[in-house]
Amino acid sequence: MTLETPSVPYRRIATEEAFCPPEMLERYRRLIEAGAVDDIGFNSMWGFYLSSDSARSRHIRDCLSDVDDRRLAHMDAAGVDMAVLALTSPGVQPMPKDEAVGFAAYANDWLADAIRRHPTRYAGLAACAPQDTEAAAKEIERGVSKLGLNGVIINSHTQGEYLDDQKFWPIFEAAEALDAPIYLHPNSPNNAMIQPLLDKGLDGAIYGFSMETGMHVLRMIIAGVFDRFPKLQVVIGHVGESLPFTLYRIDYMHQASVASGRYEAVKPLKRKPSDYMRENLHYTNSGVAWAPPIRFLQEVIGADRVMYAMDYPYQYNVEEVAALDALPISAEDKAAFFEGNARRLFKLS
Ligand code: 1DF
Ligand code: MN
């Protein structure tokens, strides 16, 4: 295999790479046509990507389900040695409960087959259906222990519900027990928050995704998820969905809320919000091939928690890899970013 990008003293492992079995887009099409999903963001985004004739939409449709020649050629052209694949957002989460449980298992089997065909190029995350928490915990166990998957993908809210609700905590229990990280990937903002974003085209990856997912992580921290599951590791993309930039203010205002007793839901935590952000979260640069926020993350969080991601096929730009190869950081931090941190966290051999 010859890479078109220069050879470098590390392997490039991309960690937020989307796929889906072809049947999933067919199911999305049917659900949308039947008006069966009460989710404005889902209907808007997938209604568009499934019907639009734009080059971007066609690229997304063509690439998502190809985990053989086309994707490998794209990875080769970009110099990506290995991709950690995850069921594209919002995965099974908008589906009716029973359908979601069945399709998560199907998608995990499909993914495991792809990894078996290309074991040096792919690893993957297990999907689950939070709609049925007990089934989700079992599927996580099956995905990691039996299929050999490397973690869990959850595409943020499930029909407007967030994982800080204790009914979902068996999912955390399973992930923590298996030492399997949970990638909390964006979803469109739910119906209660999407309208003023949608009005100006801000609901998606441009801004709404980060708002929604950053809020989801904060809800989990505030609810005490990491006091209850201290070994749990959650991965967030898009340079931490912009959260680390406001870390000082989050600590300050959280403490102020606790001290003044303003909110019933804001109870004292064992540690500061920023402590969980440094010890229970890992971060990827997905979608952000830009040195300043990556270096900022490495400075305030730690270079051992910041990993490379491309966000294929939504953001496939070969030049971004060269820009990241040129990051003005130490050789050691760069190797950790592209390879070492992902190897350690996802247990890649
Ligand atoms: C988009 C972006 C869609 C990302 C995604 O999944 C996604 C997009 C449906 O641009 O519409 O994962 N992303 O992570 O940036
Ligand atoms: Mn993504």
Side-chain angles (χ1 to χ4, degrees), residues 124-311:
L125 305 180
C128 68
Q131 294 95 317
D132 182 337
T133 307
E134 293 306 325
K138 283 197 194 118
E139 184 59 22
I140 290 168
E141 155 82 33
R142 187 184 79 95
V144 173
S145 300
K146 190 147 167 256
L147 300 179
L149 297 173
N150 307 80
V152 179
I153 176 75
I154 296 185
N155 289 295
S156 201
H157 75 84
T158 303
Q159 301 177 23
E161 295 192 308
Y162 296 89
L163 299 170
D164 53 87
D165 186 325
Q166 294 202 12
K167 74 178 180 186
F168 293 118
W169 291 16
I171 292 173
F172 298 140
E173 201 174 330
E176 190 190 47
L178 293 159
D179 196 23
I182 298 177
Y183 204 119
L184 193 72
H185 182 279
N187 190 351
S188 297
N190 73 43
N191 289 357
M193 65 190 287
I194 197 171
Q195 204 55 57
L197 294 158
L198 195 57
D199 285 349
K200 286 285 178 287
L202 294 171
D203 51 298
I206 186 173
Y207 186 69
F209 274 16
S210 276
M211 255 185 84
E212 199 278 335
T213 311
M215 178 183 75
H216 196 161
V217 173
L218 284 180
R219 289 184 62 109
M220 288 167 57
I221 291 174
I222 303 259
V225 166
F226 299 107
D227 282 341
R228 170 68 184 76
F229 302 101
K231 295 209 209 79
L232 181 65
Q233 294 296 320
V234 170
V235 186
I236 54 177
H238 315 97
V239 287
E241 309 299 1
S242 305
L243 282 183
F245 197 66
T246 57
L247 174 150
Y248 178 94
R249 191 163 172 78
I250 290 167
D251 276 350
Y252 188 95
M253 289 300 172
H254 178 259
Q255 172 53 33
S257 282
V258 169
S260 62
R262 176 169 170 193
Y263 302 97
E264 170 65 21
V266 182
K267 308 247 167 55
L269 297 171
K270 286 190 184 156
R271 295 179 292 154
K272 298 195 296 292
S274 62
D275 292 328
Y276 307 103
M277 287 165 68
R278 290 192 178 95
E279 287 161 42
N280 293 97
L281 301 184
H282 281 71
Y283 301 78
T284 79
N285 77 305
S286 53
V288 184
W290 190 34
I294 296 171
R295 295 180 72 190
F296 178 79
L297 258 189
Q298 291 175 324
E299 180 185 338
V300 301
I301 299 292
D304 56 342
R305 287 181 177 267
V306 184
M307 301 180 287
Y308 168 62
M310 170 176 270
D311 214 351

Side-chain angles (χ1 to χ4, degrees), residues 29-45:
R29 202 186 295 280
R30 262 183 273 135
L31 288 168
I32 290 167
E33 278 168 9
V37 179
D38 177 28
D39 183 320
I40 297 165
F42 171 75
N43 291 319
S44 168
M45 180 169 71

